[in-house]
Amino acid sequence: SGYTPYRFCEQRGYLPNKLYRWLGGQTPTIDELYRLANDLGVTVAWLLLGEDTHRSAQPTDRERSVSTRPGTRLGTRLATAVS
């Protein structure tokens, strides 16, 4: 079975309505972005931009699983990362 956004919220202590707003395109606060990045094992730059030019390490499996084409929305990357 898959990992749902609701289950992610339940396990990580997020409010589901907040996560669904982010998935719908609302941008989290900077503190929320840092927490999300930490909980998802990605960088804030990747969440916002789909790329991370300030890191020399290879992308994580989660980062590789999502398109990093310019214009890919935060909600799209977040949806893939939490599922």
Side-chain angles (χ1 to χ4, degrees), residues 66-80:
V66 180
S67 171
T68 56
R69 293 184 318 268
T72 303
R73 292 182 44 234
L74 168 74
T76 303
R77 286 188 293 281
L78 184 55
T80 302

Side-chain angles (χ1 to χ4, degrees), residues 2 6 13 15 18 25-26 49 59 64-65 68-69 72 80 83:
Y6 183 80
L15 296 173
K18 213 170 221 200
Q26 181 179 358
L49 306 172
R64 274 192 289 274
S65 71
T68 56
R69 293 184 318 268
T72 303
T80 302
S83 60

Side-chain angles (χ1 to χ4, degrees), residues 15-30 32-33 36 47-48 73-79:
L15 296 173
N17 63 336
K18 213 170 221 200
L19 180 66
Y20 283 105
R21 282 193 302 237
W22 299 334
L23 292 171
Q26 181 179 358
T27 303
T29 66
I30 192 68
E32 292 166 336
L33 281 168
L36 276 168
L47 279 176
L48 290 174
R73 292 182 44 234
L74 168 74
T76 303
R77 286 188 293 281
L78 184 55

Side-chain angles (χ1 to χ4, degrees), residues 3 8 12 14 22 29-48 52 55 60 62-63 78 81-82:
Y3 194 61
F8 172 80
R12 298 292 186 159
Y14 290 89
W22 299 334
T29 66
I30 192 68
D31 290 337
E32 292 166 336
L33 281 168
Y34 275 99
R35 180 178 172 207
L36 276 168
N38 184 61
D39 287 346
L40 294 169
V42 298
T43 64
V44 170
W46 181 83
L47 279 176
L48 290 174
D52 186 359
R55 186 175 69 173
T60 66
R62 282 207 187 275
E63 290 172 339
L78 184 55
V82 301

